[in-house]
Amino acid sequence: NGKYTVTLIPGDGIGPEISKAVEEIYDAAKVPIDWEPVDVTPSLINGITTIPKPAVDSIYKNTVALKGPLATPVGKGHQSLNLTLRRTLGLFANVRPCKSVEGYETPYQNVDTVLIRENTEGEYSGIEHVIVPGVVQSIKLITKKASTRVIKYAFEYARANNRPKVLVVHKCSIMKMSDGLFVKTAREVAKEYPDIELGFEILDNTALRLASDPSHFKSLVMVMPNLYGDILSDLSSGLIGGLGLTPSGNMGEKVAIFEAVHGSAPDIAGKGLANPTALLLSSCMMLRHMGLNPYGDKIESAVLKTIASSPANRTRDLKGTASTEHFTQAVISNL
Ligand code: IPM
Ligand code: MN
């Protein structure tokens, strides 16, 4: 039924089950997409974790991919497969929105945050050395180039999504050079966006405010270096009920991969207990990215309506009793 083809990386553990749920719901909603499933099991080439060429080619050809959780292959020398994908494809901005799900109670209400994480460098550069036994060095690499493109992305996102402020989160009181460069770059980029307010906040203070009153983050977009974004996005996710509800998009110049941030949950894999919500909501971000907004809106509201309807329609991670298949059918009936 496809006008569009999208690469599908089903993933490990619960990945195939939650991907199947997405496929069933997309069929029922008549989304004009054909899936192109690919295998990303990497090989070690010259000590570097390498993704099979057919998978990379498929993503470049289709320009969008949906990805379930990936476990890093055991065996020595492998780098994280998730990071390898981001690096191989130049996915420089990781967009992580967290919105309260109505009907699913948490200690926080009406959370609506957007965090954009630099996705290619910082502490994730993988440059580490033993200097002498007992003394190691891990390098946090910050470049003006990567900082500029992610900060620009944050301003564009703010403008396109009616969030009139960009908040740059940093620790330049301590990381004077690296975070200093990130902050300085933000001031420069901001000159091109006079319609968007620019703010700065020290990392630990942002964490404190997110946990004490997330309502302050409603009309802004946070942007920050890689590791800070990793940590604060999990904190934000915790405000709405966890990673099972949190979508994300890894955006590059030419391609984008939308992924569930949660792990592959091998303990419950194959048992029909997994919650496909994070992958479904990520796929709705994907549909909007592709300009298929009506489908994205329709599926997202069916998912949210299902979660709100009753514990009988929620999976166990959301204190419900539904199996993956029951949840999937309930979403389909709410389309
Ligand atoms: C995430 C994950 C990854 C990260 C892991 C799986 C490498 O925690 O997407 O946030 O640290 O970026
Ligand atoms: Mn993380």
Side-chain angles (χ1 to χ4, degrees):
N1 49 358
K3 214 175 138 199
Y4 303 88
T5 306
V6 170
T7 303
L8 179 65
I9 304 168
D12 303 315
I14 58 171
E17 296 160 71
I18 59 177
S19 301
K20 181 168 161 267
V22 173
E23 291 184 71
E24 286 175 18
I25 291 165
Y26 273 49
D27 278 344
K30 300 197 163 52
V31 183
I33 279 180
D34 288 328
W35 299 104
E36 192 165 277
V38 296
D39 175 19
V40 291
T41 309
S43 45
L44 266 186
I45 300 181
N46 298 327
I48 295 168
T49 301
T50 307
I51 293 158
K53 189 166 181 299
V56 175
D57 288 347
S58 166
I59 298 169
Y60 276 118
K61 171 170 65 76
N62 299 325
T63 72
V64 260
L66 183 67
K67 167 190 168 296
L70 289 174
T72 292
V74 278
K76 55 172 185 292
H78 268 295
Q79 293 105 18
S80 157
L81 186 48
N82 294 295
L83 300 189
T84 302
L85 263 177
R86 292 173 192 166
R87 212 175 300 140
T88 306
L89 296 157
L91 306 175
F92 62 86
N94 195 325
V95 182
R96 297 188 162 177
C98 287
K99 210 165 177 205
S100 294
V101 174
E102 208 185 308
Y104 183 67
E105 286 218 7
T106 71
Y108 299 90
Q109 266 142 35
N110 300 318
V111 176
D112 177 7
T113 63
V114 173
L115 183 154
I116 296 179
R117 160 184 181 189
E118 199 292 318
N119 216 22
T120 60
E121 56 176 29
E123 290 85 346
Y124 279 67
S125 304
I127 312 169
E128 299 189 308
H129 319 270
V130 175
I131 297 179
V132 292
V135 183
V136 296
Q137 190 177 44
S138 297
I139 291 181
K140 168 173 171 172
L141 187 80
I142 298 277
T143 64
K144 181 153 187 177
K145 186 173 168 212
S147 304
T148 302
R149 64 187 178 180
V150 73
I151 292 164
K152 254 184 199 273
Y153 188 92
F155 274 96
E156 292 291 338
Y157 186 101
R159 195 180 261 173
N161 291 278
N162 287 316
R163 299 177 82 102
K165 178 172 175 178
V166 167
L167 181 67
V168 178
V169 178
H170 64 89
K171 189 83 188 181
C172 80
S173 49
I174 305 298
M175 310 274 166
K176 290 189 173 30
M177 294 191 78
S178 55
D179 288 16
L181 177 58
F182 196 82
V183 160
K184 182 167 166 272
T185 305
R187 288 194 206 285
E188 287 173 20
V189 171
K191 290 188 188 132
E192 295 165 41
Y193 299 88
D195 51 319
I196 306 287
E197 192 190 334
L198 172 67
F200 295 95
E201 188 173 36
I202 303 271
L203 171 69
D204 43 352
N205 204 58
T206 308
L208 176 66
R209 284 199 315 131
L210 274 168
S212 46
D213 188 0
S215 70
H216 289 119
F217 296 82
K218 270 198 157 64
S219 51
L220 57 81
V221 172
M222 292 176 267
V223 64
M224 63 199 76
N226 206 340
L227 181 64
Y228 304 160
D230 180 47
I231 299 166
L232 289 193
S233 65
D234 271 30
L235 171 52
S236 311
S237 183
L239 304 173
I240 64 162
L243 293 176
L245 296 173
T246 310
S248 81
N250 293 276
M251 318 305 292
E253 220 75 73
K254 299 196 182 82
V255 301
I257 299 184
F258 296 83
E259 68 176 347
V261 180
H262 58 68
S264 58
D267 50 323
I268 60 159
K271 297 187 178 156
L273 301 174
N275 182 1
T277 300
L279 191 63
L280 278 164
L281 295 179
S282 302
S283 83
C284 294
M285 281 177 78
M286 177 190 88
L287 290 171
R288 295 193 183 101
H289 169 76
M290 297 170 73
L292 296 171
N293 303 47
Y295 292 99
D297 295 347
K298 180 168 151 180
I299 293 171
E300 185 173 288
S301 44
V303 169
L304 300 179
K305 195 171 159 194
T306 303
I307 294 171
S309 61
S310 115
N313 288 335
R314 280 178 217 147
T315 47
R316 298 196 185 182
D317 54 306
L318 300 181
K319 305 184 192 84
T321 54
S323 65
T324 309
E325 188 53 26
H326 178 96
F327 176 79
T328 304
Q329 292 308 321
V331 171
I332 289 174
S333 65
N334 282 325
L335 280 170

